[in-house]
Amino acid sequence: MPVPSRGKSVRYRRIVEDDEKNGWTAAQFKKPKATVPYRAILFASTLFFFGSVFLIFGSCLYTGTIVTHDPERWLPMLVIGALMFIPGSYHTYLAYKAWRGDYGYSFDDIPSSFDD
């Protein structure tokens, strides 16, 4: 493959300043305003609430504050409570920070598969 010469035979041309002709517009680079995913926030708040309730009742069963005839009920309550509390608290916190308008937080960070 021949190597092009670096002499005066290279022709340069001016770049077209009008981007509208090339198919580029400034509107392509503007980020649309994020919509609030209400259902996802409601679901996250529900997980947060019931996860907290399960953790509290599981802890009370474990310590003996609530006495039942089956002493092994505390473990499933704590496990289910933790599985509900962790994602619920995380997404509720994201929604709160996005609602406040803190830098780096947006409603786009919350998965909104419920809101179509």
Side-chain angles (χ1 to χ4, degrees), residues 66-81:
I66 299 174
V67 180
T68 62
H69 64 278
D70 187 11
E72 296 298 320
R73 288 193 179 180
W74 64 270
L75 185 61
M77 295 280 280
L78 283 178
V79 170
I80 292 172

Side-chain angles (χ1 to χ4, degrees), residues 9-112:
S9 64
V10 178
R11 295 197 173 217
Y12 294 101
R13 61 185 172 119
R14 179 172 282 247
I15 297 176
V16 179
E17 296 292 330
D18 188 14
D19 288 335
E20 295 282 334
K21 291 180 183 176
N22 294 332
W24 298 98
T25 61
Q28 288 177 305
F29 303 105
K30 290 184 181 176
K31 189 174 183 180
K33 186 172 181 174
T35 58
V36 179
Y38 291 110
R39 288 184 194 163
I41 293 172
L42 179 67
F43 184 67
S45 301
T46 304
L47 283 176
F48 177 64
F49 175 74
F50 284 110
S52 300
V53 169
F54 275 41
L55 283 174
I56 290 169
F57 279 119
S59 300
C60 289
L61 287 172
Y62 179 71
T63 59
T65 306
I66 299 174
V67 180
T68 62
H69 64 278
D70 187 11
E72 296 298 320
R73 288 193 179 180
W74 64 270
L75 185 61
M77 295 280 280
L78 283 178
V79 170
I80 292 172
L83 288 175
M84 293 172 72
F85 178 80
I86 292 170
S89 63
Y90 175 72
H91 287 96
T92 303
Y93 179 76
L94 284 179
Y96 172 70
K97 294 295 256 183
W99 173 73
R100 279 190 48 196
D102 289 352
Y103 179 75
Y105 293 94
S106 171
F107 287 114
D108 291 334
D109 297 336
I110 301 171
S112 60

